[in-house]
Amino acid sequence: MEYKRVLTIQDISCLGQCSMTVALPIISACGIETAVLPSAVLSTHTAGFTGFTVRDLAGDMPGIREHWVKEGIRFDAVYTGYLGSSEQVDYVLDIARDCARDEFALIVDPAMADHGKLYPAFDMAYVEAMKKLCGAADYLLPNITEACFLCGMEYKAEYDEAYILTLVKALAEMGVKNVILTGVSYSPGKTGIAVYRNAALEYYEHEFLPNSCHGTGDIYASAFTGALIRGKDAFESAKLAADYTLECIRYTADDPSHWYGAKFEPVLGRLIEAVNR
Ligand code: PXL
């Protein structure tokens, strides 16, 4: 089997168990070489901490791409998360164009909003830029808030399957090939993942754990990427990533002092077993 190589582009939150510090170990644990391109360096993530430092690394991106092109460096997939600024979108698309192996997937987690609101660092100009990146995605992994921002639909905390179908169809019309919509709940105590591909909607429902932790979207997208690049299909990968994320949340549930992230490390063994099954 060819040794697979994924590039992940997202920030390094030095502390916070999110973005790069979860993507690198999780994708590596799936048995995949993981290259990184940090979009920004922050002292912590922005969800709950105040006074954090931020350095946008957009200026380094064109030079890094040029070097990789000169060296003939190629990837089986590029997986993007939290970016440092709107201008990074074009740099990311240039890298995906110039450094792709013949069989290639662009996996995009818009990582810009939740619970009806944008993250503190972002504005509508960032949303506009993300529309371009998301439209090019082979696999897009938004939550409902991000999906609404991307297609200009009203955010609803309560909804039915018709609303979800309208949302995923609107994303497909933007050019997305496979939509993996997270946090879709139709009944109390349950949540799940809606997968829209080839004009068909599938749904994986699982238990809802009330202790929501920060960074679980990144854990989810990283496990999805690992499973997909190990050859599982979009629905299987969506399901495997949901089961792993749930394990991480469950493992963190009895420790309220660990509010800033999920303890994904002790349950990596279960992920490794699942991807190798
Ligand atoms: O988990 C998404 C994320 C990634 N990176 C940074 C964040 C967040 C969410 O708030 O602040 C810096």
Side-chain angles (χ1 to χ4, degrees), residues 180 193 195 204 206 220 224 233-245:
I180 293 88
I193 313 290
V195 176
Y204 176 57
H206 59 81
Y220 182 84
F224 174 87
D233 76 10
F235 190 71
E236 269 181 282
S237 301
K239 192 167 169 295
L240 185 154
D243 292 343
Y244 175 60
T245 307

mmCIF file of all heavy atoms in Angstrom, residues 180 193 195 204 206 220 224 233-245:
data_model
loop_
_atom_site.group_PDB
_atom_site.id
_atom_site.type_symbol
_atom_site.label_atom_id
_atom_site.label_comp_id
_atom_site.label_asym_id
_atom_site.label_seq_id
_atom_site.Cartn_x
_atom_site.Cartn_y
_atom_site.Cartn_z
ATOM 1 N N ILE A 180 -20.693 16.789 5.188
ATOM 2 C CA ILE A 180 -20.788 16.033 6.446
ATOM 3 C C ILE A 180 -21.183 17.060 7.494
ATOM 4 O O ILE A 180 -20.334 17.824 7.993
ATOM 5 C CB ILE A 180 -19.436 15.334 6.779
ATOM 6 C CG1 ILE A 180 -19.122 14.234 5.759
ATOM 7 C CG2 ILE A 180 -19.481 14.687 8.161
ATOM 8 C CD1 ILE A 180 -18.388 14.621 4.559
ATOM 9 N N ILE A 193 -24.929 12.917 12.719
ATOM 10 C CA ILE A 193 -24.240 13.459 11.560
ATOM 11 C C ILE A 193 -25.100 13.205 10.314
ATOM 12 O O ILE A 193 -25.532 12.065 10.088
ATOM 13 C CB ILE A 193 -22.884 12.717 11.344
ATOM 14 C CG1 ILE A 193 -22.091 12.587 12.652
ATOM 15 C CG2 ILE A 193 -22.084 13.372 10.225
ATOM 16 C CD1 ILE A 193 -21.534 13.867 13.195
ATOM 17 N N VAL A 195 -24.992 13.092 6.291
ATOM 18 C CA VAL A 195 -24.034 13.002 5.187
ATOM 19 C C VAL A 195 -24.812 13.113 3.877
ATOM 20 O O VAL A 195 -25.733 12.336 3.632
ATOM 21 C CB VAL A 195 -23.253 11.661 5.246
ATOM 22 C CG1 VAL A 195 -22.321 11.522 4.044
ATOM 23 C CG2 VAL A 195 -22.451 11.568 6.544
ATOM 24 N N TYR A 204 -26.535 9.409 10.701
ATOM 25 C CA TYR A 204 -26.043 8.535 11.780
ATOM 26 C C TYR A 204 -26.385 9.189 13.112
ATOM 27 O O TYR A 204 -25.876 10.265 13.437
ATOM 28 C CB TYR A 204 -24.527 8.325 11.659
ATOM 29 C CG TYR A 204 -23.963 7.509 12.808
ATOM 30 C CD1 TYR A 204 -24.457 6.231 13.084
ATOM 31 C CD2 TYR A 204 -22.952 8.012 13.626
ATOM 32 C CE1 TYR A 204 -23.959 5.478 14.139
ATOM 33 C CE2 TYR A 204 -22.441 7.268 14.688
ATOM 34 C CZ TYR A 204 -22.959 6.005 14.937
ATOM 35 O OH TYR A 204 -22.465 5.263 15.983
ATOM 36 N N HIS A 206 -26.563 9.254 17.285
ATOM 37 C CA HIS A 206 -25.936 8.672 18.473
ATOM 38 C C HIS A 206 -26.330 9.493 19.695
ATOM 39 O O HIS A 206 -26.986 10.539 19.583
ATOM 40 C CB HIS A 206 -24.412 8.595 18.302
ATOM 41 C CG HIS A 206 -23.761 9.920 18.052
ATOM 42 N ND1 HIS A 206 -23.466 10.804 19.062
ATOM 43 C CD2 HIS A 206 -23.356 10.518 16.900
ATOM 44 C CE1 HIS A 206 -22.905 11.888 18.546
ATOM 45 N NE2 HIS A 206 -22.833 11.752 17.234
ATOM 46 N N TYR A 220 -13.229 15.727 15.704
ATOM 47 C CA TYR A 220 -14.097 15.046 14.735
ATOM 48 C C TYR A 220 -13.504 15.094 13.321
ATOM 49 O O TYR A 220 -13.375 14.073 12.643
ATOM 50 C CB TYR A 220 -15.501 15.681 14.744
ATOM 51 C CG TYR A 220 -16.412 14.947 13.794
ATOM 52 C CD1 TYR A 220 -17.059 13.794 14.204
ATOM 53 C CD2 TYR A 220 -16.561 15.364 12.472
ATOM 54 C CE1 TYR A 220 -17.840 13.068 13.319
ATOM 55 C CE2 TYR A 220 -17.327 14.644 11.588
ATOM 56 C CZ TYR A 220 -17.972 13.503 12.022
ATOM 57 O OH TYR A 220 -18.719 12.768 11.138
ATOM 58 N N PHE A 224 -12.151 11.999 11.084
ATOM 59 C CA PHE A 224 -12.796 11.778 9.780
ATOM 60 C C PHE A 224 -11.720 11.692 8.682
ATOM 61 O O PHE A 224 -11.731 10.793 7.850
ATOM 62 C CB PHE A 224 -13.777 12.915 9.467
ATOM 63 C CG PHE A 224 -14.362 12.824 8.080
ATOM 64 C CD1 PHE A 224 -15.511 12.072 7.843
ATOM 65 C CD2 PHE A 224 -13.752 13.455 7.004
ATOM 66 C CE1 PHE A 224 -16.031 11.959 6.559
ATOM 67 C CE2 PHE A 224 -14.262 13.354 5.720
ATOM 68 C CZ PHE A 224 -15.401 12.603 5.497
ATOM 69 N N ASP A 233 -15.255 4.843 3.419
ATOM 70 C CA ASP A 233 -16.038 5.799 2.633
ATOM 71 C C ASP A 233 -16.550 6.924 3.533
ATOM 72 O O ASP A 233 -16.342 6.916 4.753
ATOM 73 C CB ASP A 233 -17.140 5.102 1.824
ATOM 74 C CG ASP A 233 -18.330 4.678 2.662
ATOM 75 O OD1 ASP A 233 -18.424 5.075 3.842
ATOM 76 O OD2 ASP A 233 -19.187 3.952 2.142
ATOM 77 N N ALA A 234 -17.179 7.920 2.920
ATOM 78 C CA ALA A 234 -17.551 9.130 3.666
ATOM 79 C C ALA A 234 -18.478 8.816 4.842
ATOM 80 O O ALA A 234 -18.307 9.368 5.931
ATOM 81 C CB ALA A 234 -18.203 10.151 2.728
ATOM 82 N N PHE A 235 -19.451 7.918 4.643
ATOM 83 C CA PHE A 235 -20.400 7.623 5.726
ATOM 84 C C PHE A 235 -19.721 6.855 6.856
ATOM 85 O O PHE A 235 -19.886 7.174 8.030
ATOM 86 C CB PHE A 235 -21.623 6.870 5.197
ATOM 87 C CG PHE A 235 -22.724 6.773 6.219
ATOM 88 C CD1 PHE A 235 -23.457 7.895 6.571
ATOM 89 C CD2 PHE A 235 -23.010 5.565 6.847
ATOM 90 C CE1 PHE A 235 -24.452 7.824 7.544
ATOM 91 C CE2 PHE A 235 -23.999 5.485 7.812
ATOM 92 C CZ PHE A 235 -24.732 6.612 8.159
ATOM 93 N N GLU A 236 -18.920 5.843 6.484
ATOM 94 C CA GLU A 236 -18.181 5.067 7.502
ATOM 95 C C GLU A 236 -17.246 5.983 8.291
ATOM 96 O O GLU A 236 -17.111 5.852 9.512
ATOM 97 C CB GLU A 236 -17.286 4.042 6.797
ATOM 98 C CG GLU A 236 -17.863 2.699 6.532
ATOM 99 C CD GLU A 236 -16.789 1.842 5.853
ATOM 100 O OE1 GLU A 236 -16.581 2.033 4.632
ATOM 101 O OE2 GLU A 236 -16.153 1.041 6.548
ATOM 102 N N SER A 237 -16.582 6.908 7.579
ATOM 103 C CA SER A 237 -15.637 7.820 8.237
ATOM 104 C C SER A 237 -16.382 8.762 9.172
ATOM 105 O O SER A 237 -15.919 9.064 10.278
ATOM 106 C CB SER A 237 -14.860 8.634 7.194
ATOM 107 O OG SER A 237 -14.162 7.767 6.334
ATOM 108 N N ALA A 238 -17.543 9.230 8.723
ATOM 109 C CA ALA A 238 -18.364 10.137 9.537
ATOM 110 C C ALA A 238 -18.796 9.444 10.833
ATOM 111 O O ALA A 238 -18.794 10.051 11.914
ATOM 112 C CB ALA A 238 -19.581 10.595 8.743
ATOM 113 N N LYS A 239 -19.142 8.171 10.702
ATOM 114 C CA LYS A 239 -19.634 7.377 11.835
ATOM 115 C C LYS A 239 -18.480 7.083 12.812
ATOM 116 O O LYS A 239 -18.613 7.286 14.015
ATOM 117 C CB LYS A 239 -20.188 6.080 11.232
ATOM 118 C CG LYS A 239 -20.982 5.208 12.102
ATOM 119 C CD LYS A 239 -21.677 4.167 11.187
ATOM 120 C CE LYS A 239 -22.305 3.051 11.982
ATOM 121 N NZ LYS A 239 -21.393 2.206 12.726
ATOM 122 N N LEU A 240 -17.365 6.653 12.267
ATOM 123 C CA LEU A 240 -16.196 6.324 13.095
ATOM 124 C C LEU A 240 -15.722 7.564 13.876
ATOM 125 O O LEU A 240 -15.416 7.492 15.066
ATOM 126 C CB LEU A 240 -15.108 5.796 12.153
ATOM 127 C CG LEU A 240 -13.804 5.261 12.716
ATOM 128 C CD1 LEU A 240 -13.201 4.256 11.740
ATOM 129 C CD2 LEU A 240 -12.814 6.363 12.978
ATOM 130 N N ALA A 241 -15.710 8.709 13.191
ATOM 131 C CA ALA A 241 -15.264 9.948 13.837
ATOM 132 C C ALA A 241 -16.245 10.355 14.938
ATOM 133 O O ALA A 241 -15.842 10.852 15.998
ATOM 134 C CB ALA A 241 -15.125 11.061 12.801
ATOM 135 N N ALA A 242 -17.532 10.138 14.707
ATOM 136 C CA ALA A 242 -18.545 10.479 15.723
ATOM 137 C C ALA A 242 -18.360 9.586 16.953
ATOM 138 O O ALA A 242 -18.402 10.078 18.099
ATOM 139 C CB ALA A 242 -19.948 10.310 15.144
ATOM 140 N N ASP A 243 -18.128 8.302 16.737
ATOM 141 C CA ASP A 243 -17.958 7.376 17.872
ATOM 142 C C ASP A 243 -16.711 7.752 18.681
ATOM 143 O O ASP A 243 -16.731 7.733 19.909
ATOM 144 C CB ASP A 243 -17.845 5.927 17.375
ATOM 145 C CG ASP A 243 -19.165 5.430 16.788
ATOM 146 O OD1 ASP A 243 -20.210 6.057 17.056
ATOM 147 O OD2 ASP A 243 -19.146 4.418 16.053
ATOM 148 N N TYR A 244 -15.644 8.117 17.993
ATOM 149 C CA TYR A 244 -14.403 8.497 18.693
ATOM 150 C C TYR A 244 -14.593 9.803 19.477
ATOM 151 O O TYR A 244 -14.194 9.903 20.644
ATOM 152 C CB TYR A 244 -13.239 8.619 17.698
ATOM 153 C CG TYR A 244 -11.972 9.120 18.358
ATOM 154 C CD1 TYR A 244 -11.381 8.402 19.405
ATOM 155 C CD2 TYR A 244 -11.400 10.335 17.985
ATOM 156 C CE1 TYR A 244 -10.244 8.878 20.042
ATOM 157 C CE2 TYR A 244 -10.253 10.809 18.619
ATOM 158 C CZ TYR A 244 -9.688 10.079 19.648
ATOM 159 O OH TYR A 244 -8.564 10.554 20.287
ATOM 160 N N THR A 245 -15.227 10.777 18.852
ATOM 161 C CA THR A 245 -15.441 12.073 19.515
ATOM 162 C C THR A 245 -16.277 11.886 20.786
ATOM 163 O O THR A 245 -16.010 12.485 21.826
ATOM 164 C CB THR A 245 -16.105 13.073 18.546
ATOM 165 O OG1 THR A 245 -15.330 13.124 17.352
ATOM 166 C CG2 THR A 245 -16.187 14.468 19.133
#
